Amino acid sequence: MFKVSRELFGYCILVLASVGLASCNNLSSPVFGSQTHDSLGNKVDESVLLRPRLHDKWDSLRRNLIVFTVDSLNPVSIKVQKQKLKDSLRREYDKMPKHIYLTFDDGPLVGSKAIDSLAKSKNIKVNAFVVGRHATFGKYRQRDLAQFLENPLVAVYNHSYTHGFNRLTTFYRDSQVAFDDFKKNESTITMSSKVARLPGRNIWMYDDERKIDVANATPTADLLYKDGYKIFGWDVEWRIVSQTGVPTLPLETVYNRLVNFMNNKSSKEPNNVVFLMHDDMFQTKAGAKLLNDLVDKLIAQGYRFEFMEDYPIRY
Ligand SMILES: [Zn+2]
């Protein structure tokens, strides 16, 4: 009984929650370039860079808050009433904008250029979780990172400097060393905001939310969180074989997963989906075309493309 009431309370809180607006916190000491979302290039449509605002329709929704009373003497009906509440909330959420966060990990790599071009050609916001060491792999990787930093449609975030040289169990064994690796990345690249993703770990720490998949990275995440970082994992992932451009999941399947997640009644952050991809997926024309086609479908669906520092956009 108590459990049900708590859940219901949670849903009511969802209704009452207001939009969270995160600020842009530029860091100093740029080496590879500088970036600000406020300074617009000639080709960018300014309207897409407007920060999320409280949706007009929500004012009327707030005025007509869904009133829900629990009949504690009749526990059978609680389940029915709870379902009705969920359904009515989902109907309200369906009237509101839906937000997708395209996130690309491990750049700059071969394939980063396609992501930069996509953001410009579709005029959508994207998120790059970068690994500073990869920018030392030659002038083209330096160019790729510089393009990210110069493009106001690309938010650049911290994915560590070395990616633990892909030996992640060792990397997370000493949390101070791992934390210092993130700080090295931060001091090397002018990030858009203090937002991080841990290599190989689907860990979330933001506001009062905390979700851990593999415990050995928790001390590292805690240090970053205490340092002021928001840490984000992902909801849905897509992989494409980098050399061939062949996806491990057909486009239709991953598209349906995104739509289903967006419409999930019990989603922790309704109407918000974080989508994980990797830069090296788009080094072939076939891979880049798949990404283009998927984005076209999402645009047709009316989704809004957002920066991670604004997650979650609530109503
Ligand atoms: Zn990674």
Side-chain angles (χ1 to χ4, degrees), residues 232-297:
F232 295 115
W234 60 92
D235 298 312
V236 179
E237 181 180 7
W238 198 25
R239 286 189 180 269
I240 296 173
V241 179
S242 54
Q243 294 82 3
T244 61
V246 176
T248 53
L249 282 177
L251 190 150
E252 275 302 323
T253 306
V254 77
Y255 172 75
N256 289 334
R257 280 190 188 179
L258 289 169
V259 172
N260 287 338
F261 196 94
M262 188 72 89
N263 296 336
N264 188 346
K265 291 186 185 75
S266 55
S267 170
K268 183 158 62 69
E269 301 289 358
N271 284 15
N272 288 262
V273 175
V274 179
F275 185 33
L276 168 64
M277 292 165 282
H278 288 81
D279 288 39
D280 66 348
M281 288 165 48
F282 310 108
Q283 58 185 268
T284 62
K285 280 186 179 163
K289 183 177 184 315
L290 280 170
L291 178 61
N292 260 274
D293 293 348
L294 180 65
V295 166
D296 283 344
K297 283 171 81 74

Side-chain angles (χ1 to χ4, degrees), residues 105-106 129 131 134 159-160 163 166 168 197-200 276 278:
D105 283 11
D106 300 354
F129 284 88
V131 175
H134 293 172
H159 194 44
S160 81
H163 208 273
N166 291 325
L168 298 180
R197 175 176 284 150
L198 275 69
L276 168 64
H278 288 81

